[in-house]
C-alpha cells in the first residue's frame, strides 16, 4: 500500500512540474501604452515661439487646443525614461507619434526609440496615426519604423501599414492601420477589414491571447462623438469590426486620436466583449499614459509625466511660465492646456465656425446664425454674477433675474470657463458632472438665458426652424409638435428653457458623467486559459488527486 501511494505521489509531482512548465509560457505580460506624442521638432527652436493668443501674456505661446507642441521633445524624453524603468516589457504607441509627419520628425523619433531599446532592452511597437501620414507614404512609414514592429511581424497587410506580431507569454498583437494617407476622413477599406478578420481567426485557432492597437477609436467614447469629432471612429462599419474582434477573443484594443482618457466596451450578439481603451495625448494635460498588466485579470493603471528637462525647451517662453515648468510641470501643463482649450471654445462661437458645425446650405438656418452669432460670442463671455458685471451692466445673473431665475453659487467666471471645465473633465477621465450637479444646473439656466438673448431678433418661423434643425442634427428624438409648440411660444425665453431642458441638458449630463468601467485605474476581465492542453492537464491532475485521496483514506483506516 505504501508503495502504491508513493507511486501516486510521484505521478502527481511529475504532473505538477509539467503544469509549472506549461504555465511558465503564460507569464503575465506588462505593456506601456502612450498616445499622440505629436513630436514637433520644428517647434523646439527659439525662432518658432511666438504669440498665438491674447488670453494670457505669460502663456501667449499656447495655441488653440492646448497641445504642448513646444514641450513635445522634453515630454517624450521624460516619458521614455519613465517607461524604461517600469515593469513593462513592451512600449505600445497607437499613432500620431509625430505632429507634422515630416522626415525630420520621423528620423528624430526613431533615433530616440533606438536609444531607448539599446538602453533598457525593451521593444517598441508602433502603428501610424493621421498626423504621421501627412507627408509620408505607407512604404516610407514602414521603412522608418522597420525596427519597431515591422521587422518582427509574422504577417503584414499588403494594402496598409497593418501587421501582427507575437509577444511573450502566448500573446499576439494585431496592429491596425486605420489611416488613409493624405486624407482626413476615415473609413477603413473592406479588404483591410477582411485582412483583420483573417488574422483574428488565425490567432484564435492557434490559442493566442490577442489584443489590438489602432489610432482611431473603435467605439464612440462619449455621446455624439462622431458628430462633434467627425473622424473619431475608425470606420462607418465599426460595429462589424467590433464583432470581428470580440467574437475572436480580442478582448482589448488600445486606441488614440481623440485626446481623451476613457474606457468603454461593446458586447456582440454572441455575448463576447471587447474593451476600447483610449488614452489621452501624452503632450496634453495631464500628460498621462497607461501601464497594463495582463494575467488572470487585466490591470490598467494611469501614470503621469511630472517633471521634464526644461533645458530642452526653446527660448522665447515667458520667464515666469518657464520657472513654473521647472518647479511644477503638471501645473504648467494644466495652464497651457486649459488656456488653449478656452481659446478653441471661444473660436467656436463665431459665425463661420457655427455654420461649419451646423453643416447646412439652408438659407433660413444660415440667416439665423448670422443674426445670432455676434450675440452668442458676446453672451458666452459675460460674467455669471452681478458683482462682476461688465461696464455695460450685463451679467448672466442679472439677465436671469429678469425672468425670475436664480443661479447656483460657483466659482466659474463665465459660460466658456464652465464649458472648458466640463470638456476637460471628459478628456481627463472619470468625469462626474451629473444632471443634478451645480455645474449642470448653472449651465442649463445660463444656456437658456444665452439662447433667448441670441435669438431675440429672429422670427417665430426662424426660431422653430433652428430648433428643429439642431434637434435633428443632435439625433434627439423629439416630436415636431413639441418643436412647433416651443418655437411658437409667446414667451421665447420659456421656449428656450423648455428646449434646453428637454434636449441640451440630457446630452450635457451624459457627456459629463462617466459610465463603467472606470477610466483611470481599473481591473478588468483577463483572457483565461486559451490553451486546451492546459485544461486537459488540470483534468488529469484532478483525477489523480482524487485517486490519491481515496487510497490515502484506505491506508489510514488500515494503519
Amino acid at each position: 500500500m505504501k508503495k502504491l501511494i508513493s507511486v501516486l505521489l510521484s505521478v502527481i509531482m511529475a504532473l505538477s512540474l509539467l503544469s509549472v512548465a506549461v504555465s511558465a509560457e503564460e507569464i503575465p505580460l506588462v505593456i506601456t501604452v502612450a498616445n499622440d506624442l505629436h513630436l514637433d521638432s520644428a517647434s523646439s527652436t527659439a525662432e518658432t515661439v511666438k504669440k498665438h493668443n491674447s488670453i494670457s501674456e505669460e502663456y501667449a505661446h499656447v495655441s488653440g487646443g492646448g497641445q504642448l507642441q513646444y514641450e513635445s521633445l522634453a515630454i517624450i524624453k521624460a516619458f521614455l525614461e519613465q517607461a524604461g524603468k517600469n515593469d513593462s516589457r513592451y512600449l505600445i504607441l497607437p499613432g500620431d507619434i509625430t505632429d507634422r509627419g515630416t522626415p525630420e520628425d520621423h528620423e528624430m523619433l526613431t533615433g530616440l526609440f533606438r536609444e531607448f531599446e539599446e538602453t533598457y532592452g525593451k521593444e517598441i511597437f508602433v502603428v501610424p496615426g493621421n498626423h504621421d501620414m501627412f507627408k509620408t507614404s505607407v512604404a516610407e512609414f514602414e521603412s522608418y519604423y522597420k525596427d519597431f514592429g515591422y521587422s518582427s511581424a509574422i504577417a503584414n497587410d499588403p494594402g496598409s501599414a497593418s501587421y501582427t506580431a507575437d509577444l511573450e507569454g502566448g500573446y499576439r498583437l494585431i496592429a491596425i492601420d486605420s489611416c488613409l494617407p493624405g486624407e482626413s476622413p476615415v473609413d477603413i477599406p473592406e479588404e483591410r477589414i477582411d485582412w483583420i478578420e483573417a488574422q483574428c481567426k488565425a490567432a484564435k485557432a492557434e490559442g493566442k491571447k490577442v489584443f489590438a492597437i489602432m489610432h482611431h477609436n473603435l467605439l464612440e467614447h462619449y455621446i455624439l462623438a462622431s458628430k462633434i469629432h467627425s473622424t473619431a471612429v475608425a470606420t462607418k462599419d465599426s460595429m462589424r469590426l467590433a464583432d470581428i474582434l470580440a467574437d475572436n477573443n480580442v478582448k482589448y484594443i488600445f486606441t488614440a486620436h481623440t485626446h481623451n482618457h476613457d474606457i468603454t466596451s461593446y458586447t456582440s450578439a454572441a455575448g463576447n466583449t471587447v474593451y476600447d481603451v483610449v488614452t489621452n495625448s501624452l503632450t496634453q494635460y495631464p500628460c498621462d499614459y497607461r501601464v497594463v498588466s495582463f494575467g488572470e485579470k487585466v490591470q490598467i493603471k494611469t501614470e503621469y509625466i511630472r517633471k521634464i528637462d526644461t533645458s530642452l525647451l526653446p527660448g522665447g517662453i515667458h520667464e515666469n511660465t518657464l520657472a513654473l515648468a521647472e518647479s511644477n510641470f503638471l501645473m504648467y501643463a494644466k495652464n497651457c492646456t486649459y488656456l488653449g482649450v478656452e481659446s478653441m471654445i471661444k473660436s467656436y462661437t463665431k459665425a463661420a465656425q457655427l455654420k461649419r458645425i451646423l453643416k447646412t446650405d439652408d438659407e433660413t438656418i444660415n440667416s439665423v446664425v448670422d443674426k445670432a452669432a455676434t450675440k452668442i460670442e458676446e453672451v458666452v463671455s459675460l460674467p455669471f454674477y452681478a458683482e462682476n458685471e461688465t461696464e455695460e451692466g450685463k451679467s448672466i445673473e442679472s439677465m436671469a433675474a429678469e425672468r425670475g431665475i436664480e443661479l447656483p453659487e460657483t466659482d466659474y467666471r463665465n459660460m466658456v470657463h464652465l464649458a472648458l471645465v466640463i470638456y476637460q473633465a471628459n478628456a481627463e477621465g472619470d468625469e462626474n458632472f451629473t444632471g443634478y450637479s451645480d455645474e449642470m444646473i448653472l449651465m442649463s439656466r445660463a444656456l437658456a438665458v444665452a439662447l433667448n438673448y441670441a435669438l431675440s431678433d429672429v422670427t417665430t418661423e426662424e426660431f422653430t426652424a433652428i430648433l428643429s434643425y439642431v434637434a435633428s442634427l443632435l439625433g434627439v428624438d423629439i416630436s415636431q409638435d413639441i418643436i412647433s409648440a416651443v418655437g411658437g411660444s409667446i414667451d421665447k425665453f420659456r421656449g428656450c428653457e423648455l428646449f434646453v431642458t428637454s434636449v441640451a441638458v440630457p446630452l450635457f449630463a451624459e457627456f459629463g458623467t462617466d459610465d463603467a468601467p472606470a477610466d483611470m485605474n481599473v481591473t478588468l476581465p483577463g483572457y483565461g486559459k486559451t490553451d486546451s492542453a492546459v485544461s486537459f492537464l488540470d483534468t488529469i491532475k484532478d483525477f489523480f488527486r482524487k485517486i490519491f485521496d481515496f487510497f490515502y483514506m484506505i491506508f489510514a483506516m488500515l494503519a
Side-chain angles (χ1 to χ4, degrees):
M1 181 64 70
K2 289 183 179 180
K3 286 186 177 181
L4 177 59
I5 292 176
S6 297
V7 170
L8 289 171
L9 281 171
S10 299
V11 171
I12 291 172
M13 289 178 64
L15 288 169
S16 297
L17 290 173
L18 180 59
S19 172
V20 170
V22 173
S23 62
E25 298 178 3
E26 296 191 355
I27 58 175
L29 174 72
V30 183
I31 63 173
T32 296
V33 181
N35 289 355
D36 298 278
L37 279 61
H38 286 283
L39 175 68
D40 187 354
S41 60
S43 292
S44 297
T45 60
E47 292 77 18
T48 62
V49 178
K50 53 188 176 181
K51 189 170 184 176
H52 284 292
N53 63 71
S54 58
I55 290 179
S56 167
E57 184 63 35
E58 293 187 346
Y59 292 88
H61 66 288
V62 175
S63 59
Q67 195 75 35
L68 278 73
Q69 61 192 86
Y70 296 110
E71 302 82 359
S72 60
L73 177 60
I75 292 171
I76 292 168
K77 283 195 169 187
F79 163 68
L80 291 173
E81 182 177 356
Q82 289 184 199
K85 295 177 181 178
N86 68 22
D87 294 333
S88 65
R89 175 70 182 84
Y90 302 99
L91 190 54
I92 306 295
L93 307 174
D96 276 6
I97 45 183
T98 64
D99 192 61
R100 304 170 192 267
T102 63
E104 294 79 12
D105 285 342
H106 289 306
E107 288 168 3
M108 177 180 285
L109 200 56
T110 51
L112 293 175
F113 287 174
R114 289 190 184 93
E115 181 181 354
F116 171 85
E117 289 193 338
E118 291 170 2
T119 302
Y120 298 105
K122 301 183 179 186
E123 293 183 69
I124 296 176
F125 289 88
V126 305
V127 73
N130 54 300
H131 279 253
D132 302 314
M133 309 303 284
F134 281 159
K135 301 177 181 179
T136 307
S137 69
V138 169
E140 289 170 334
F141 185 87
E142 291 180 344
S143 177
Y144 281 127
Y145 297 95
K146 62 180 182 296
D147 296 330
F148 310 108
Y150 293 96
S151 62
S152 55
I154 60 173
N156 295 84
D157 173 29
S160 72
S162 304
Y163 63 93
T164 66
D166 279 339
L167 310 182
E168 66 183 16
Y171 288 85
R172 179 168 294 175
L173 166 67
I174 299 181
I176 300 170
D177 176 7
S178 58
C179 301
L180 300 174
E183 297 183 34
S184 292
V186 179
D187 192 17
I188 297 178
E190 190 70 20
E191 58 270 20
R192 199 178 305 176
I193 295 180
D194 291 339
W195 181 87
I196 295 167
E197 182 174 19
Q199 296 306 312
C200 288
K201 289 182 176 179
K204 184 178 181 181
E206 295 176 40
K208 295 293 184 179
K209 292 164 287 189
V210 187
F211 67 90
I213 61 173
M214 179 169 69
H215 182 64
H216 298 86
N217 296 168
L218 173 68
L219 308 170
E220 285 195 326
H221 283 264
Y222 54 87
I223 191 168
L224 302 175
S226 295
K227 293 183 182 293
I228 296 172
H229 193 163
S230 60
T231 65
V233 178
T235 175
K236 296 174 184 175
D237 203 8
S238 60
M239 289 303 96
R240 184 198 161 201
L241 181 55
D243 280 328
I244 289 170
L245 297 175
D247 291 340
N248 286 282
N249 202 39
V250 182
K251 292 184 181 293
Y252 293 89
I253 181 168
F254 297 92
T255 64
H257 187 58
T258 48
H259 293 204
N260 63 314
H261 208 69
D262 188 75
I263 303 175
T264 193
S265 65
Y266 166 78
T267 300
S268 70
N272 301 307
T273 299
V274 58
Y275 291 90
D276 184 352
V277 183
V278 63
T279 304
N280 194 17
S281 169
L282 184 71
T283 48
Q284 191 162 323
Y285 179 80
C287 304
D288 45 0
Y289 60 94
R290 298 187 189 270
V291 178
V292 184
S293 301
F294 292 94
E296 290 185 7
K297 298 286 186 180
V298 174
Q299 292 185 329
I300 302 177
K301 295 182 179 180
T302 298
E303 302 289 348
Y304 304 90
I305 305 301
R306 299 185 182 279
K307 189 170 181 61
I308 63 169
D309 181 356
T310 54
S311 70
L312 297 172
L313 301 186
I317 296 176
H318 195 283
E319 59 180 359
N320 293 345
T321 312
L322 194 62
L324 180 61
E326 174 65 32
S327 63
N328 189 341
F329 171 68
L330 274 182
M331 181 57 69
Y332 165 84
K334 182 176 182 178
N335 291 345
C336 289
T337 292
Y338 273 55
L339 287 168
V341 173
E342 183 176 354
S343 176
M344 177 188 70
I345 292 173
K346 281 189 173 182
S347 74
Y348 276 89
T349 65
K350 299 183 183 300
Q353 284 282 33
L354 289 172
K355 287 180 180 179
R356 185 184 66 80
I357 295 169
L358 294 175
K359 299 174 186 175
T360 180
D361 295 325
D362 186 291
E363 292 183 4
T364 300
I365 303 301
N366 287 325
S367 174
V368 173
V369 173
D370 286 332
K371 289 180 181 180
T374 302
K375 289 186 174 183
I376 290 174
E377 189 173 0
E378 174 192 349
V379 75
V380 296
S381 296
L382 286 179
F384 274 131
Y385 303 107
E387 61 265 26
N388 301 315
E389 283 184 349
T390 62
E391 293 180 2
E392 293 80 11
K394 289 181 182 177
S395 68
I396 299 296
E397 185 178 44
S398 60
M399 294 168 74
E402 294 175 3
R403 299 288 177 174
I405 303 296
E406 292 185 7
L407 301 184
E409 291 291 335
T410 70
D411 293 328
Y412 300 107
R413 300 187 305 274
N414 50 42
M415 291 181 68
V416 171
H417 183 208
L418 179 55
L420 160 69
V421 172
I422 294 172
Y423 173 87
Q424 275 299 125
N426 181 277
E428 293 163 24
D430 289 341
E431 61 275 16
N432 189 31
F433 290 121
T434 67
Y436 299 101
S437 66
D438 284 347
E439 287 81 3
M440 286 299 176
I441 293 171
L442 177 60
M443 177 60 83
S444 64
R445 293 177 181 176
L447 187 58
V449 170
L451 279 177
N452 180 69
Y453 179 70
L455 300 174
S456 58
D457 295 332
V458 305
T459 66
T460 297
E461 291 73 18
E462 289 174 329
F463 188 43
T464 302
I466 191 69
L467 294 181
S468 179
Y469 183 76
V470 171
S472 68
L473 185 68
L474 296 176
V476 177
D477 185 14
I478 185 169
S479 73
Q480 190 58 44
D481 289 341
I482 294 178
I483 291 290
S484 298
V486 171
S489 173
I490 296 176
D491 186 341
K492 193 173 289 181
F493 176 78
R494 294 304 174 191
C496 290
E497 188 177 38
L498 179 58
F499 184 79
V500 167
T501 302
S502 59
V503 176
V505 170
L507 296 179
F508 286 149
E510 188 166 343
F511 181 84
T513 308
D514 184 56
D515 294 326
D519 300 329
M520 311 294 284
N521 301 292
V522 65
T523 299
L524 296 171
Y527 284 77
K529 296 178 179 178
T530 58
D531 189 338
S532 59
V534 176
S535 297
F536 177 73
L537 180 63
D538 288 341
T539 301
I540 294 296
K541 284 171 59 184
D542 289 341
F543 173 72
F544 276 99
R545 184 174 288 109
K546 289 176 181 177
I547 292 178
F548 171 76
D549 290 341
F550 172 76
F551 279 102
Y552 185 86
M553 178 185 67
I554 297 296
F555 175 76
M557 290 174 63
L558 293 175

